[in-house]
Amino acid sequence: MKTIMQAFMKTWVAACHFKGRARVLIPPGVYALGPLIFAGPCIGPSPIIVQVSGTLKGDTDISLYEEPAWFQFENIDGLIVTGGGAFDGQGESAWKYNDCKNNNDCVQLPSNIKLNKVSNAILRGFTSADSKGVHIFITNSQNIRLKRLHIVAPGDSPNTDGVHISTSINVKVSKTIIATGDDCIGMIKGSTDVAINKVTCGPGHGISIGSLGKYENEEDVRGITVKNTTFLKTDNGIRIKTWPGSTPSLATGMIFQDLVMDNVRNPIIIDQGYCPSGCKKQPSRVKISNIQYINIRGTSSSEVGVNLMCSPQYQCENIHLFNINLKHIGNGPITATCANARVSTFGGLQSPRVTCHN
């Protein structure tokens, strides 16, 4: 394996330092690899292309991973990762070490792919399977496109988010299938101008903004759009979740439109008391505002189709609901719960009908 890794690194360095157009080709075959960092800056004309035609398998020795990442791309302007190959994290070997359900400060297991300080990148066409942790982690980056990806892990695999975004601007995810054990897509602190379109999500925890407010002085989240997306038997559909006792921040300017819920437990949910274990007994101070839910239909596996539970200290403001058509999967009544939210506009069909108590 050491020889193979040396060959990968030697090829990357040669391509990155080539003054002409460069492509790294990973041919058909199976390659066992430990953690790798493909770092720039590169000197040739952008983009540099990494074409993955083979199957890459992540080493199962967790002690090899000094950072929570397997394939890391860093300090690169102009990158394309493409091809019909696969990143197989072999995560089943590591999931037993995950204790995040009982430990808010748990150690994160390695992502299959991490982009750090990357700009103008496209990831397309490949499979990410059985990551030890998050499949694709995007941080400190801008102008990132993900399309036609297949991201898969067992429904009970812990913290295997499909795409995790933080402190990044202008990220687009489209025409992608995500079936994992956690959020299909999660957007946390500093996620700005994120567009999600034509994604199939499930199983998993749905698409989440948050959790927010866990750490001091978090950057705001702004400009999130989710459209033309289907949720299949997920725990949640569209969820905004914030921790109690947070320092002040904003989550604002979001559009959730043309969504289909198929047997989803919480199709529309705002949870400002999110607390897996051991939290402060204080209201969340993340201010949620300017949220539009438009043309959302389908079935809920619970009786509560819409659940807007906002902070008593900073009420949710300018919530808009247009054409909400949800039914209970068991043909029973569908209901809504709402507290500390100012719903500014109702329009079209409203099932369930939301009545909010402030």
Side-chain angles (χ1 to χ4, degrees), residues 44-64:
S46 66
I48 188 168
I49 299 172
V50 178
Q51 182 173 332
V52 183
S53 298
T55 297
L56 312 177
K57 289 186 174 289
D59 196 290
T60 58
D61 183 354
I62 201 70
S63 68
L64 295 175

Side-chain angles (χ1 to χ4, degrees), residues 1 5 8-9 26 31-38 52 54-62 64-73 86-91 108-115 127-135 137:
M1 185 180 70
M5 291 181 63
F8 270 67
M9 287 307 305
I26 301 172
Y31 307 93
L33 298 164
L36 291 167
I37 300 178
F38 284 1
V52 183
T55 297
L56 312 177
K57 289 186 174 289
D59 196 290
T60 58
D61 183 354
I62 201 70
L64 295 175
Y65 300 83
E66 295 181 6
E67 300 290 333
W70 173 29
F71 257 81
Q72 182 162 319
F73 297 90
F87 294 82
D88 180 358
Q90 300 198 99
Q108 297 299 316
L109 294 174
S111 305
N112 267 4
I113 298 170
K114 182 176 181 179
L115 305 184
T127 294
S128 176
D130 292 347
S131 181
K132 295 175 177 65
V134 171
H135 283 258
F137 185 10

Side-chain angles (χ1 to χ4, degrees), residues 183-206:
D183 293 334
C184 291
I185 302 173
M187 294 151 277
I188 63 168
K189 57 182 180 177
S191 296
T192 304
D193 296 336
V194 178
I196 299 163
N197 188 37
K198 296 182 180 177
V199 167
T200 300
C201 170
H205 294 178

Side-chain angles (χ1 to χ4, degrees), residues 132-151:
K132 295 175 177 65
V134 171
H135 283 258
I136 300 174
F137 185 10
I138 301 168
T139 186
N140 303 309
S141 296
Q142 61 182 349
N143 300 331
I144 309 296
R145 306 288 181 269
L146 280 61
K147 54 187 178 182
R148 296 194 304 275
L149 301 179
H150 189 195
I151 301 173

Side-chain angles (χ1 to χ4, degrees), residues 36 56 68 71 125 133 155 160 170 175 192 201 209 224 273 284 302-303 309 317 349:
L36 291 167
L56 312 177
F71 257 81
T160 53
N170 194 12
K175 299 179 181 178
T192 304
C201 170
I209 292 85
I224 308 297
S284 172
S302 71
E303 293 182 358
M309 303 305 291
E317 291 187 341
L349 182 64

